[in-house]
Amino acid sequence: SSRSEQNGSSHKSSIQGSEAFLRGVLESMQSVYLNRNPTAKAILELVHSAENNPLCYDHLAFRTFGVTGYGIDSMASFFLDYGYTRREELRFPAKKLRALWFSPPADSQDGGGSGIKGPLPRIFISELIVDQMSPQTQEIIKKYIASSGNGNQYAALASSLGLLTWEKPSYSEFQQLASESEYAAWTLVNGHALNHVTISAHRLKTELRDIKNLNRFIEESGFRLNSEGGVLKVSPDGLLLQSSTVADSMPFQFSDGATESVPCSYIEFAERLVLPQYKNLPAIEVKEFHRRDGFEVGNADKIFESTSKDQLSRVG
Ligand code: OOG
Ligand code: NI
């Protein structure tokens, strides 16, 4: 048998062509994220070592400015080209946001490893409904979008390189956006960077597969969880349970010379329970498709707050 089979990496070496490229791009996006977000990196290492088993990612999330050609589509086109399927839309009228999620190609490989090297994650992409912002805010967003040229065609490339496609803003422009939409301000300085990765709690093997235990473990290890509406977010059907950390911050050099701390990314946890029609399946036979799929507006609305000033400045 071949050398790769002997050392147990035959799965990995069997993924070729477009799927290998897709996974390579996701790895690059993740490495930008891990370099900028020490909390996310530490938690991934902590859970991985406590488990001693591969981790699965439930989903990856991105934010965009909803201006024609620059919104959800600018990031989605990459995933659609690599076999993802468009699923439901979610609306957040109070936050002036909308989102779409995408499911991974059905014929994708299990990956045989941990994280990006495991089963391909869902993708969650949101956009700011820019034409509902004040004229000043719209003007700033449109100015930076114009400075990016055809940057909207390279959202995935920018994300995997960790680059903004537009010029750096001034601190006062950042503050103007933040006063109206913290999402807008976040997107202006983080661009297409990965907003979060989500660990699939129910696919863990230890007692951490119960999200309540996972939350306790994370908090006892000294990390802060987003407390908006309570730490555990539960969908009305009771089947989708989510929690997330408070985002890390990073110094950002603004175009006017000011260096100020801005919120970066966070890490999320999701537990999907078995659908009622499959509740009698033996645990060992339960697959991902037997579980609650999709997202939930009420949960998501609170998870967006993981990058908010309120959560970042919370004490204890
Ligand atoms: C996305 C928040 C929503 C989920 O899983 O419902 C979310 C964001 O903060 O951009 O991640
Ligand atoms: Ni999420």
Side-chain angles (χ1 to χ4, degrees), residues 172-299:
S172 63
E173 290 169 324
F174 173 80
Q175 284 177 303
Q176 160 64 31
L177 264 55
S179 71
E180 205 174 321
S181 162
E182 295 199 81
Y183 179 105
W186 189 93
T187 305
L188 188 65
V189 294
N190 288 281
H192 301 97
L194 192 52
N195 176 271
H196 61 273
V197 313
T198 300
I199 296 179
S200 178
H202 55 270
R203 285 182 281 189
L204 296 174
K205 301 278 183 273
T206 68
E207 71 283 350
L208 300 178
R209 68 183 182 276
D210 177 335
I211 196 168
K212 292 196 193 78
N213 294 335
L214 182 55
N215 288 345
R216 192 176 335 111
F217 177 65
I218 297 297
E219 287 188 317
E220 283 173 359
S221 305
F223 300 103
R224 272 196 300 155
L225 293 176
N226 165 353
S227 62
E228 185 73 23
V231 163
L232 187 64
K233 285 75 167 141
V234 183
S235 59
D237 62 12
L239 299 176
L240 176 60
L241 290 71
Q242 293 168 278
S243 59
S244 58
T245 60
V246 170
D248 278 321
S249 355
M250 216 191 176
F252 183 88
Q253 218 187 343
F254 288 92
S255 61
D256 50 358
T259 300
E260 298 288 339
S261 170
V262 299
C264 306
S265 301
Y266 60 91
I267 185 162
E268 187 193 306
F269 315 101
E271 181 178 1
R272 297 178 183 276
L273 301 185
V274 176
L275 292 165
Q277 61 268 40
Y278 302 122
K279 68 175 192 300
N280 295 324
L281 270 186
I284 182 161
E285 285 174 28
V286 174
K287 298 280 184 293
E288 188 70 5
F289 69 86
H290 294 121
R291 296 179 181 273
R292 163 67 150 88
D293 206 351
F295 291 83
E296 188 64 47
V297 167
N299 290 13

